[in-house]
Amino acid sequence: MTQSQMAAGVISESYYSKVERGDNRINADALVNLLVSHHFDVGKFFDRLVNQSSVEPDLQIATEISIAQYTKNLKRLDEISKELKTRPEGSPSWLELRITLAYAWINHSPEQVPDGVKNKIKKIILEDNWNRGSYQTFCNSIIIYEIEEAAPLVRNALEHFVANPEYDEFTLQYVALIAVNFLNCAYHASKEERKSVHSTICQAIEFLKNDLPVEPAIGFYKIMGVYYKALFDGNLSLVNHISEIVKEIGYGSLIEDLKEK
């Protein structure tokens, strides 16, 4: 970007130029406003700034875990898990949890996640009273709960967002993923379990289709709302049509486990 684009009207171009050269300092308010203007996650920015030397390698591994999860690459996940176990200093607990969740998502088997972890995550979510952090935590960990246990938390999250909407890009993505990930879990549940959470399934689909704003950053999730409605309604023509588009843009692995049973 040019200096003018980078300054984003938050500070003057001339002042920003001196910041780049190290002649001027930038205050915290201006820095946060610049980050928001350029759609940076402010919390992650400062986490990386403060812990850059020690956390950076683990952030790379976390990214590789996410890629393996979304591409259903169990072989790569096994390799990463083996690498972590050979660390002489051990791995941080949050990274171990991250890889456990990745296995749970790929295998649709939350049994390997201890109950203590489930309760701890639920406590964090409820105590935070639904903010961006709790939306993010929950969207990544829905898989560890039984579908009937997850349903009231999903309803609570979606209703809170509708009553207290936030429009920053990251919050929108996290709350949309809560709905999408719940629908994925519901699809893999038994017919009896699915019937017991039918109203939450309908609520999640309605949320994706109509309650979220028209925002490019979450366009894919709104499409998934249409996809899941067609899937649960048995509209195979629409399911196949959307599937072809999703595969064409390279996201086929995200719906590979949704083939008709």
Side-chain angles (χ1 to χ4, degrees), residues 100 104 107-115 118 143-144 146:
T100 298
N107 296 318
H108 287 280
S109 57
E111 294 81 8
Q112 56 188 304
V113 181
D115 287 337
K118 299 179 184 181
I143 186 65
I144 70 177
E146 298 296 332

Side-chain angles (χ1 to χ4, degrees), residues 7 39 44-47 49 59 62 65 69 80 97-99 110 117 124 127 170 178-179 220 228 238 246 252:
H39 307 294
K44 286 185 178 179
F45 176 87
F46 282 107
D47 282 343
L49 183 67
L59 289 176
I65 292 172
Q69 174 185 323
I80 296 172
L97 175 61
R98 184 69 193 84
I99 202 164
V117 173
I124 291 171
E127 285 184 351
F170 297 99
I178 288 175
F220 179 76
Y228 274 105
L238 183 54
V246 170

Side-chain angles (χ1 to χ4, degrees), residues 2-248:
T2 65
Q3 290 182 340
S4 177
Q5 290 170 330
M6 188 63 199
V10 174
I11 55 179
S12 70
E13 182 180 351
S14 60
Y15 190 91
Y16 176 74
S17 176
K18 292 179 181 178
V19 172
E20 278 195 347
R21 296 200 305 268
D23 297 332
N24 281 349
R25 288 182 174 272
I26 186 168
N27 66 44
D29 286 343
L31 175 57
V32 169
N33 287 332
L34 281 174
L35 293 171
V36 171
S37 296
H38 295 298
H39 307 294
F40 278 92
D41 185 314
V42 177
K44 286 185 178 179
F45 176 87
F46 282 107
D47 282 343
R48 293 182 68 168
L49 183 67
V50 172
N51 302 299
Q52 192 168 14
S53 60
S54 60
V55 175
E56 191 70 25
D58 290 339
L59 289 176
Q60 177 63 30
I61 292 174
T63 300
E64 292 181 26
I65 292 172
S66 294
I67 293 172
Q69 174 185 323
Y70 289 125
T71 56
K72 309 292 192 300
N73 191 341
L74 272 173
K75 181 181 178 181
R76 178 56 186 143
L77 205 57
D78 288 340
E79 291 173 350
I80 296 172
S81 180
K82 187 177 179 179
E83 290 171 16
L84 293 179
K85 288 177 181 176
T86 59
R87 282 185 174 185
E89 74 280 9
S91 301
S93 58
W94 69 267
L95 198 57
E96 293 177 359
L97 175 61
R98 184 69 193 84
I99 202 164
T100 298
L101 290 174
Y103 274 116
W105 274 113
I106 293 176
N107 296 318
H108 287 280
S109 57
E111 294 81 8
Q112 56 188 304
V113 181
D115 287 337
V117 173
K118 299 179 184 181
N119 295 332
K120 183 177 181 180
I121 291 176
K122 185 188 290 187
K123 185 172 184 288
I124 291 171
I125 291 168
L126 296 178
E127 285 184 351
D128 282 349
N129 193 30
W130 298 118
N131 54 35
R132 184 169 67 182
S134 51
Y135 286 138
Q136 180 184 18
T137 300
F138 187 44
C139 78
N140 288 325
S141 58
I142 287 178
I143 186 65
I144 70 177
Y145 300 104
E146 298 296 332
I147 195 69
E148 293 169 331
E149 187 179 14
L153 292 172
V154 171
R155 290 196 301 271
N156 195 326
L158 302 187
E159 289 166 4
H160 183 274
F161 180 85
V162 171
N164 307 274
E166 298 178 42
Y167 297 107
D168 70 274
E169 180 179 320
F170 297 99
T171 298
L172 288 173
Q173 290 185 62
Y174 298 146
V175 75
L177 268 172
I178 288 175
V180 169
N181 289 345
F182 173 76
L183 291 170
N184 183 277
C185 292
Y187 178 79
H188 289 281
S190 68
K191 290 183 178 179
E192 292 74 19
E193 290 172 325
R194 199 183 301 170
K195 185 177 180 180
S196 71
V197 297
H198 177 73
S199 62
T200 310
I201 290 173
C202 294
Q203 182 181 6
I205 290 172
E206 177 69 15
F207 178 81
L208 290 168
K209 290 178 59 184
N210 299 317
D211 290 334
L212 285 172
V214 178
E215 162 62 48
I218 55 171
F220 179 76
Y221 306 120
K222 291 181 77 68
I223 292 172
M224 290 305 291
V226 177
Y227 180 84
Y228 274 105
K229 185 175 190 316
L231 194 65
F232 286 117
D233 288 348
N235 186 345
L236 295 184
S237 175
L238 183 54
V239 167
N240 292 333
H241 178 63
I242 297 176
S243 295
E244 289 304 315
I245 295 173
V246 170
K247 291 175 184 176
E248 182 68 23

